[in-house]
Amino acid sequence: MDVKELKLIISRGESPFVEFSKCTTELTDSVFQSICSFFNKEGGCLIVGVHDFGKIVGVAEMFIENMLKKFAYAMEHEFSPSFPLTPQVVEMNGRKLFYIDIPQSLQVHRYKNKVYDRVGRDVCDITYSYSLIENLYLRKRNESSENIVCPFLRMSELDEMAFYTMRKHIAVVRPDHPWLSLSDEELLHTNGFWGKDPISDKEGFVLAAVLLFGKEETIHNYSPVTYRTDAIYRNVSYDKFSQLTSDYPERRYDDRDIIFSNLITSYSRLMKFIQRNLPKRVLNKGTTSVNIREKLLSEIVTNMIVHREYTCQSPCRLLIFSDKVITENGVSSFGDRHTTFDSLEIQTKNPLITQVFQEMGWIEERGSGKKNIRKYAPFYDKSFEIELNIQEGRFVFSITYGNEEGLDDLSLFPSEAKGAALPPSSPEPSAESYRRGLLYDSRLLIAYPDIEVDVSYIDKAESVLEACMKPLPIQDMMRITRQSNRTRFRKNILRPLLKEGLLAMRIPTKPSSPLQTYFTTEKGKELLQMSLG
């Protein structure tokens, strides 16, 4: 969790998805009751060391170790089913805070044998309200299939190699991880892969265990039709392919992999397929380099895997063309079919599967996929486009990547050929600007690495400067940048530009005048004329 982002969350106050706790020396029951309610509702975050009204008091440093031990014990022994969470210790204003990101669980959780749910910002004990308990079970049952109980599944039907691969990746990320000391069966039992069907009252491993660790014949027995993943490569542009008749030779594929394996093996096979059929592009910075293909496409593949509805009849496909990558995965339901990538709400569809991928280092944190795709896509192709299409039980994601123009401007280069000479790199930005995410084609961050504009608003800030070549009122600037919250617009875009002297007021003596307009200064115009080459 970035400190600047955490400050923004705290400044907005508590909400149905954000809660503060002022515990400084000991974690009280109210902390775990809130976590339980987030599990059972729609997820959220809990920040320990902050008063209800947003004042930062911090956690006493001498008690941190004991508090973390109590947290781990409670999550494993006092929650049913248990759920592995680890608070992130963040330092802010010289004080230590606990930031706990809590996903929505698709199981009903109890803390000390009591069930907690949320109504708005309030935590409610619904243990003895049988109608509310029944509604909660029905709600969870309808949200995902990973918790379907498979009462006849045995450990012998799972693939030992999948467990071995999982542990190998975890050991690289965290050599002291507690999962490494557990047997396969202990790992499943202690991490939510064992459940009880609320209707039949039968117990057993859940479907997530089959999907993650099952042998191919096991997966076929429990999910015979819907599980297949089809990876297809065609060496033709997407538009040209769409116009070809069905009998035209180019409609055939140039490479294909039909995958029935468990998800751990599937991920590896999909990444190998991508390596065979997409050009490698590398960001060169000094003595280090970043493989943009791996960074970007691994996010796209993991999103396809962890957000898929595994009982949906729609196919799961990875389609690669010479200028576009498309993923299709089934969904059970989706509220807004016209959702854009920017407005897409982050919701953990399969928490058990997501948790394993996180521990292996294949996913950073909840919401990281959307952030990293935005971060790395401009490096893979300067004129990238992202599209979403949600219809008839399918979630279709596509990203255009084929335009080679402008890659040198971003210090990107194909690097498949061994011994190929590297093109000259562009002037190296400051360490601070790189740390803050100079993976954007941004004049503003290069010229003003310490500007207070949040990285996610950089493109909007530059749009304001371009639009204000003629004076504009604030409502027109908000309309151009598609911002609806005036306070947030002022804080994240308008004030930093005014502070740097890139934007100015026409009536500086009356900042709040209803006739106030803003214009781009000479300094701002020079910025817009700045070359990135």
Side-chain angles (χ1 to χ4, degrees):
M1 168 57 62
D2 181 75
V3 174
K4 190 171 184 179
E5 187 178 350
L6 185 58
K7 283 183 178 179
L8 182 61
I9 294 172
I10 294 173
S11 69
R12 291 172 177 169
E14 291 187 309
S15 73
F17 306 99
V18 178
E19 187 169 324
F20 303 149
S21 170
K22 59 184 179 181
C23 298
T24 56
T25 61
E26 185 179 5
L27 296 177
T28 62
D29 279 344
S30 63
V31 169
F32 299 107
Q33 291 166 5
S34 296
I35 291 174
C36 186
S37 70
F38 279 127
F39 279 148
N40 290 334
K41 195 68 172 182
E42 298 176 30
C45 70
L46 180 66
I47 306 172
V48 179
V50 180
H51 268 292
D52 293 346
F53 49 85
K55 180 181 178 181
I56 298 173
V57 294
V59 176
E61 193 154 355
M62 63 184 297
F63 293 97
I64 288 178
E65 185 177 352
N66 287 337
M67 292 170 77
L68 291 175
K69 287 180 179 178
K70 179 176 180 178
F71 187 91
Y73 179 86
M75 296 308 301
E76 183 173 352
H77 299 286
E78 295 178 342
F79 275 81
S80 177
S82 61
F83 197 104
L85 280 182
T86 303
Q88 182 180 347
V89 181
V90 182
E91 185 168 343
M92 183 183 298
N93 300 339
R95 301 177 186 271
K96 299 288 181 66
L97 305 178
F98 289 167
Y99 173 80
I100 308 167
D101 184 27
I102 307 150
Q104 176 188 10
S105 177
L106 295 171
Q107 294 177 294
V108 174
H109 288 266
R110 295 173 179 265
Y111 171 66
K112 291 185 175 179
N113 293 320
K114 289 192 175 183
V115 182
Y116 297 91
D117 202 355
R118 297 186 77 82
V119 178
R121 291 165 50 184
D122 298 324
V123 178
C124 301
D125 182 351
I126 63 170
T127 307
Y128 302 108
S129 177
Y130 298 110
S131 61
L132 293 178
I133 290 282
E134 184 179 6
N135 288 336
L136 179 57
Y137 272 105
L138 289 172
R139 188 172 79 212
K140 296 292 183 183
R141 188 176 181 84
N142 291 332
E143 281 172 349
S144 173
S145 57
E146 75 164 9
N147 282 307
I148 294 175
V149 175
C150 308
F152 304 108
L153 179 67
R154 300 293 177 260
M155 287 298 299
S156 59
E157 298 178 83
L158 302 181
D159 186 359
E160 292 181 359
M161 184 55 66
F163 286 101
Y164 170 79
T165 302
M166 178 196 67
R167 287 191 177 88
K168 184 174 69 173
H169 283 277
I170 289 176
V172 172
V173 178
R174 185 179 162 190
D176 61 342
H177 198 289
W179 288 11
L180 300 178
S181 62
L182 299 176
S183 68
D184 296 346
E185 190 166 359
E186 287 173 337
L187 189 149
L188 295 177
H189 276 282
T190 57
N191 289 287
F193 290 91
W194 182 272
K196 177 187 287 188
D197 190 294
I199 297 176
S200 68
D201 210 35
K202 292 182 178 180
E203 293 188 1
F205 292 114
V206 296
L207 185 60
V210 177
L211 299 174
L212 281 164
F213 306 108
K215 299 176 181 177
E216 285 197 21
E217 57 269 26
T218 306
I219 295 171
H220 180 76
N221 290 336
Y222 286 94
S223 186
V225 178
T226 62
Y227 184 77
R228 188 180 87 175
T229 301
D230 210 351
I232 300 175
Y233 168 66
R234 293 185 176 93
N235 189 22
V236 62
S237 71
Y238 177 74
D239 288 339
K240 183 177 180 180
F241 173 78
S242 302
Q243 296 168 9
L244 298 176
T245 59
S246 58
D247 57 347
Y248 198 82
E250 286 187 75
R251 284 192 68 89
R252 289 187 56 80
Y253 55 83
D254 295 282
D255 191 6
R256 186 175 190 177
D257 191 4
I258 302 174
I259 303 171
F260 295 97
S261 309
N262 58 61
L263 295 181
I264 291 175
T265 304
S266 294
Y267 173 85
S268 299
R269 284 176 60 175
L270 287 168
M271 291 307 297
K272 288 179 181 177
F273 185 85
I274 285 167
Q275 290 163 7
R276 289 200 305 269
N277 296 301
L278 277 174
K280 181 179 181 181
R281 294 179 183 166
V282 177
L283 170 65
N284 185 38
K285 181 183 181 294
T287 59
T288 62
S289 61
V290 178
N291 188 330
I292 301 299
R293 179 185 63 188
E294 307 304 306
K295 289 286 188 181
L296 175 61
L297 274 300
S298 66
E299 293 290 354
I300 294 173
V301 168
T302 52
N303 280 346
M304 178 179 72
I305 289 174
V306 303
H307 296 303
R308 178 180 177 182
E309 171 50 56
Y310 285 94
T311 59
C312 183
Q313 296 297 319
S314 297
C316 185
R317 297 195 293 175
L318 169 68
L319 307 176
I320 300 178
F321 298 91
S322 62
D323 63 345
K324 182 172 286 196
V325 174
I326 300 174
T327 63
E328 299 179 5
N329 58 279
V331 291
S332 55
S333 62
F334 211 96
D336 184 4
R337 294 186 178 187
H338 303 289
T339 299
T340 64
F341 185 72
D342 289 326
S343 64
L344 183 65
E345 291 294 327
I346 303 302
Q347 181 180 3
T348 305
K349 181 65 180 172
N350 296 299
L352 293 174
I353 295 171
T354 302
Q355 179 69 23
V356 171
F357 273 45
Q358 282 180 326
E359 301 301 330
M360 295 174 70
W362 289 350
I363 298 176
E364 292 178 13
E365 60 184 17
R366 189 161 59 116
S368 65
K370 177 179 173 181
K371 179 177 67 177
N372 285 336
I373 289 171
R374 271 285 178 211
K375 180 179 180 180
Y376 292 114
F379 278 95
Y380 201 75
D381 188 278
K382 193 173 181 180
S383 59
F384 75 100
E385 296 178 14
I386 296 175
E387 300 173 81
L388 297 182
N389 184 17
I390 303 161
Q391 59 182 2
E392 298 178 355
R394 291 189 308 147
F395 184 95
V396 183
F397 171 92
S398 66
I399 180 166
T400 302
Y401 69 88
N403 180 19
E404 298 283 343
E405 183 180 349
L407 291 180
D408 289 343
D409 292 344
L410 291 171
S411 300
L412 294 173
F413 48 90
S415 59
E416 298 290 355
K418 293 184 179 180
L422 303 183
S425 59
S426 56
E428 189 160 313
S430 70
E432 172 66 11
S433 64
Y434 186 79
R435 184 189 67 77
R436 290 178 59 215
L438 188 51
L439 297 181
Y440 291 86
D441 181 10
S442 171
R443 301 172 179 84
L444 197 53
L445 274 182
I446 293 174
Y448 301 94
D450 297 320
I451 193 169
E452 294 177 1
V453 177
D454 189 283
V455 172
S456 58
Y457 289 94
I458 287 294
D459 58 336
K460 296 178 176 61
E462 292 190 9
S463 297
V464 166
L465 292 177
E466 291 170 355
C468 288
M469 299 297 279
K470 60 178 182 179
L472 290 177
I474 190 170
Q475 55 267 29
D476 284 359
M477 292 190 288
M478 290 177 64
R479 177 179 52 79
I480 289 168
T481 55
R482 298 182 179 179
Q483 299 293 294
S484 57
N485 188 308
R486 184 178 290 238
T487 301
R488 197 175 301 161
F489 176 82
R490 285 183 178 278
K491 177 181 178 181
N492 293 305
I493 299 176
L494 186 57
R495 287 176 187 167
L497 292 177
L498 290 171
K499 182 178 179 180
E500 296 292 346
L502 303 172
L503 204 66
M505 292 181 280
R506 295 288 289 181
I507 315 174
T509 57
K510 298 180 180 179
S512 302
S513 171
L515 302 177
Q516 186 66 263
T517 57
Y518 301 83
F519 66 96
T520 303
T521 64
E522 290 301 318
K523 190 176 178 182
K525 291 176 183 177
E526 290 176 7
L527 174 76
L528 294 177
Q529 294 171 1
M530 172 182 168
S531 172
L532 289 172

